[in-house]
Amino acid sequence: MSNSPIELERAANGLKLLGDKTRLTIIAMLKQRDCCVCEFQEVFEMSQPSISQHLRKLKDAGILMEERKGQWVYYSLNSNCDLFGLIEDILAHVPEQTEKIRQIEKCCGC
């Protein structure tokens, strides 16, 4: 990342996005495995539109990628994102989401 005002703005926006606990948890989960909306619904006990809104914000920022597998859309981290290094640094300080991953692996049939 260079020192340009545009890069600084991009970093500030990325930090603002990750300042939300739900989005930060989503990113931490995606560090461990790809997930679909219904799996996030199981973990967060939120409506599909609410989860989709969080995912859309992360996708619009280039942080996430999506891939259709059958009838499901799976989300993953975009390692080519300008902010990926920053995200990795932040995730180094976030607890692993192993329990949430176990929870969705037991419950979801996606």
Side-chain angles (χ1 to χ4, degrees):
M1 226 183 257
S2 69
N3 292 326
S4 76
I6 293 170
E7 295 299 324
L8 184 60
E9 183 71 25
R10 219 178 269 162
N13 287 334
L15 289 169
K16 198 181 305 180
L17 278 172
L18 297 179
D20 178 272
K21 182 181 175 185
T22 300
R23 288 192 288 271
L24 185 59
T25 305
I26 287 171
I27 294 294
M29 290 174 66
L30 292 174
K31 178 183 174 187
Q32 293 181 250
R33 77 186 273 279
D34 297 354
C35 296
C36 70
V37 174
C38 66
E39 292 172 325
F40 291 127
Q41 280 181 265
E42 177 70 31
V43 169
F44 295 108
E45 298 178 355
M46 297 172 83
S47 68
Q48 185 271 330
S50 295
I51 294 293
S52 291
Q53 185 176 20
H54 285 295
L55 293 168
R56 182 189 49 77
K57 288 178 180 182
L58 293 167
K59 186 175 175 259
D60 288 351
I63 295 170
L64 298 185
M65 297 186 309
E66 63 180 26
E67 179 185 353
R68 183 166 289 281
K69 296 180 184 176
Q71 66 182 16
W72 308 109
V73 176
Y74 281 81
Y75 293 86
S76 60
L77 292 179
N78 180 5
S79 60
N80 295 319
C81 171
D82 293 344
L83 299 172
F84 192 72
L86 176 62
I87 292 167
E88 284 188 315
D89 290 345
I90 291 167
L91 289 177
H93 302 282
V94 174
E96 286 198 7
Q97 301 300 307
T98 306
E99 280 305 310
K100 287 180 174 54
I101 298 296
R102 283 190 192 124
Q103 179 182 349
I104 60 176
E105 288 175 345
K106 283 183 197 173
C107 297
C108 292
C110 306

